[in-house]
Amino acid sequence: MLPFIDRIKKRITISQIQTAFRFCCEIGITTTAFFMIGNPGENEQTMKQTIRFARDLKADQVQFKIAVPNPGTELHEIVKREGQLLTTDWSKYVTFGHPVFELDELTPELMKRMQRQAYKELYTRPSYMLQRLLRVRSLAELKGLISGGIGVIKVISGIGSVD
């Protein structure tokens, strides 16, 4: 599962990630998982594997960011060599903007579509929504949950972003 994890040099195994999240859940630590969409070697199928993995982790919160080929990074060199930078306007090099590169099967449209699909699959499950509501302990928490929910709806519909 997630064959590209070694390619992006995370120096961690899937088993270690699963174990850490399981332990946190068992002792009541709130968890947040961060995933990148659009790593070299990814395609629609591998991104779907990542989404399934994220869902199975049962994290309290999940973020899906689009890989950004910032100057000076290995990704930037790979995209320059094997793909195409779509802009050099550095203000657009953000993880929730429109993708700024193409590489192999990774088109901007595919990366955005998979990001929207990830949020839809993770945050619109009735079991997830019920779990989050049951953990609310204050009005401030409820307000934050509602605000986050509105942001997720915007991402899913393609009209906004969750930061």
Side-chain angles (χ1 to χ4, degrees), residues 27-95:
I27 61 175
I29 295 175
T30 301
T31 56
T32 301
F34 293 90
F35 294 90
M36 283 192 308
I37 300 273
N39 290 296
E42 277 194 294
N43 57 39
E44 185 169 357
Q45 189 61 36
T46 61
M47 287 185 254
K48 286 180 179 180
Q49 288 176 338
T50 299
I51 294 167
R52 278 192 300 275
F53 177 71
R55 187 184 59 230
D56 293 344
L57 274 182
K58 295 182 172 77
D60 296 296
Q61 296 178 45
V62 181
Q63 291 283 318
F64 284 90
K65 304 291 187 170
I66 292 176
V68 178
N70 287 309
T73 65
E74 187 174 350
L75 178 57
H76 187 263
E77 294 307 312
I78 291 169
V79 171
K80 278 179 37 182
R81 185 177 62 245
E82 300 172 22
Q84 179 182 4
L85 289 170
L86 302 176
T87 183
T88 55
D89 178 352
W90 308 127
S91 70
K92 296 182 188 279
Y93 278 51
V94 294
T95 58

Side-chain angles (χ1 to χ4, degrees), residues 108-147:
E109 295 76 21
L110 175 62
M111 289 183 269
K112 286 302 281 187
R113 181 169 52 85
M114 295 309 296
Q115 185 183 45
R116 283 191 304 273
Q117 181 176 333
Y119 279 99
K120 183 177 182 181
E121 285 191 30
L122 272 290
Y123 285 107
T124 62
R125 294 173 294 140
S127 61
Y128 175 81
M129 289 188 261
L130 180 60
Q131 169 204 359
R132 292 295 289 149
L133 278 173
L134 291 174
R135 292 181 72 176
V136 170
R137 299 291 179 244
S138 69
L139 184 56
E141 252 185 273
L142 181 59
K143 286 179 182 178
L145 190 60
I146 291 169
S147 176

